[in-house]
Amino acid sequence: MITNNTNKNLLKNILLIVIFATIVVLLDFDIIGDDYVRRVLNLAAIYTIVSVSMNLVNGFTGLFSLGQAGFMAIGAYTVAIFTVPIEYRPNIFYVIPQNPILAQIQLPFVVALILGGLFAALVAILIGMPVLRLKSDYLAIATLGFSEIIRIVFTNTKTITNGALGIKSIPEMPTMWVFFGIAIISVVFIVLLINSSYGRAFKAIREDDIAAEAMGINLFKHKVLSFAIGAFFAGIGGGLLASLLGTVDPKQFYFTMTYNFLLIIVLGGMGSISGTVIASFVVTVGLEVLRFFDDTLIIFGVNIPIFRAGLRMVVFSALLMILVLFFRNGILGQKELSWDLLDKYINKKKTPHKKTTKGGATH
């Protein structure tokens, strides 16, 4: 019986992978969708990478970190500085010339992307050593402050980042597989990490750090490790965002950007990877679907006054509030989506409720 269920689930997984790959191929060859659809889906894939990395730190290790925007900025600027063609740079750095050493370096996109992730992880280790001794709100404020410091530093290092003007002409990726492929690798890596001995240590720290330390877990080492891995993938996400948009500037990385990812992991479930992936697509696509609320609406010659710029966020926030009321721990809580979970949910819906008497007997 168990073997039959396992085989059925395996076939379902294979079918799902084939459907997913087919849709991406059809989108890539312009058979379905258009540039707008591809851009939104690529953005959702980037949000998946950053949100899952943030969930590793906040949801699985129990650290309240709000520094994702800063780590993304490091990855985005690394890709921008090293991948823009050398011949374009005099036109981009026309106010203050680029540093002469950097002006002669051009790297392949993959190398620059990994370098951006490593820079973000290195910075995370450097700031993590002092600030990870803080807890809850204090840690959140410290990491939020770090994110703003990074943005201000990038605004003022004009010979490297071109200051407030930003860097344009970043090469764009020709296929969606770059975004979705890296998103899949990131999610698989974090799932394997969570199911390893390190992941069990992260969860033990989340549940009770004093008990975890008494069991022999090195709190500082595991917190820094989780923080650095989260920052690495946030840097990767930032590098992909730079490629998707084709330009970077400091205004893209305000601290408010981090709240989008916090919203996603709370909505999906703190401590659920599959919930975070689902919420990343729901939030990113949902914001685009509701965009018509920002446009003027005229019915039979009458202008409906409530339809104006900003209404989209009001409606979106209201929908989120309703969703959170019904799913107080997020869509999946700390569970992971599986065929068995879906079967149980469907069977529960099909099974009529039985009336219970005072003695506990059912009819």
Side-chain angles (χ1 to χ4, degrees), residues 46-56 261 264-265 276 280:
I46 294 170
Y47 273 28
T48 299
I49 297 169
V50 181
S51 301
V52 169
S53 71
M54 189 175 184
N55 209 348
L56 173 69
F261 305 115
I264 287 171
I265 64 172
T276 304
S280 298

Side-chain angles (χ1 to χ4, degrees), residues 50 54 57-58 63-72 127 131-132 136-150 227 234 253-263 265-266 270:
V50 181
M54 189 175 184
V57 179
N58 292 38
L63 304 173
F64 193 16
S65 168
L66 296 177
Q68 300 308 106
F71 296 128
M72 285 186 73
I127 68 159
V131 304
L132 288 179
S136 63
D137 299 348
Y138 299 101
L139 177 60
I141 292 169
T143 50
L144 198 62
F146 151 76
S147 178
E148 278 300 282
I149 289 170
I150 289 291
F227 197 56
F253 301 100
Y254 275 120
F255 65 90
T256 50
M257 185 182 200
T258 300
Y259 295 146
N260 290 335
F261 305 115
L262 185 62
L263 165 70
I265 64 172
V266 170
M270 298 279 277

Side-chain angles (χ1 to χ4, degrees), residues 198-359:
Y198 288 102
R200 288 190 286 276
F202 295 158
K203 291 175 189 174
I205 294 170
R206 176 191 64 189
E207 298 301 328
D208 190 331
D209 55 353
I210 296 174
E213 191 171 27
M215 292 168 63
I217 295 172
N218 187 326
L219 294 186
F220 182 70
K221 171 189 163 186
H222 286 88
K223 285 182 179 179
V224 171
L225 182 65
S226 172
F227 197 56
I229 293 172
F232 174 81
F233 285 109
I236 295 288
L240 290 172
L241 184 65
S243 173
L244 180 68
L245 302 178
T247 178
V248 292
D249 69 70
K251 291 179 183 176
Q252 295 171 350
F253 301 100
Y254 275 120
F255 65 90
T256 50
M257 185 182 200
T258 300
Y259 295 146
N260 290 335
F261 305 115
L262 185 62
L263 165 70
I264 287 171
I265 64 172
V266 170
L267 182 64
M270 298 279 277
S272 172
I273 296 296
S274 49
T276 304
V277 174
I278 293 168
S280 298
F281 280 84
V282 168
V283 170
T284 309
V285 176
L287 281 171
E288 295 303 321
V289 170
L290 297 176
R291 192 170 286 279
F292 70 92
F293 280 109
D294 282 348
D295 298 331
T296 304
L297 178 66
I298 299 175
I299 300 177
F300 301 117
V302 178
N303 184 14
I304 308 299
I306 63 169
F307 280 78
R308 60 177 66 181
L311 179 62
R312 175 179 64 132
M313 291 309 298
V314 174
V315 174
F316 184 70
S317 301
L319 290 174
L320 285 177
M321 288 171 64
I322 294 170
L323 193 61
V324 170
L325 284 174
F326 285 98
F327 299 94
R328 296 190 178 184
N329 294 319
I331 297 172
L332 287 175
Q334 291 187 353
K335 298 177 183 174
E336 296 295 349
L337 186 64
S338 66
W339 295 113
D340 292 336
L341 186 69
L342 284 174
D343 288 341
K344 284 180 185 176
Y345 180 78
I346 292 169
N347 292 333
K348 187 178 176 182
K349 287 287 181 186
K350 286 181 179 176
T351 305
H353 293 290
K354 296 179 179 180
K355 293 181 180 179
T356 305
T357 64
K358 288 183 179 180

Side-chain angles (χ1 to χ4, degrees), residues 77 151-152 154-155 161 163-166 248-254:
Y77 270 99
R151 191 178 63 79
I152 291 167
F154 284 170
T155 305
T161 64
L165 296 175
V248 292
D249 69 70
K251 291 179 183 176
Q252 295 171 350
F253 301 100
Y254 275 120

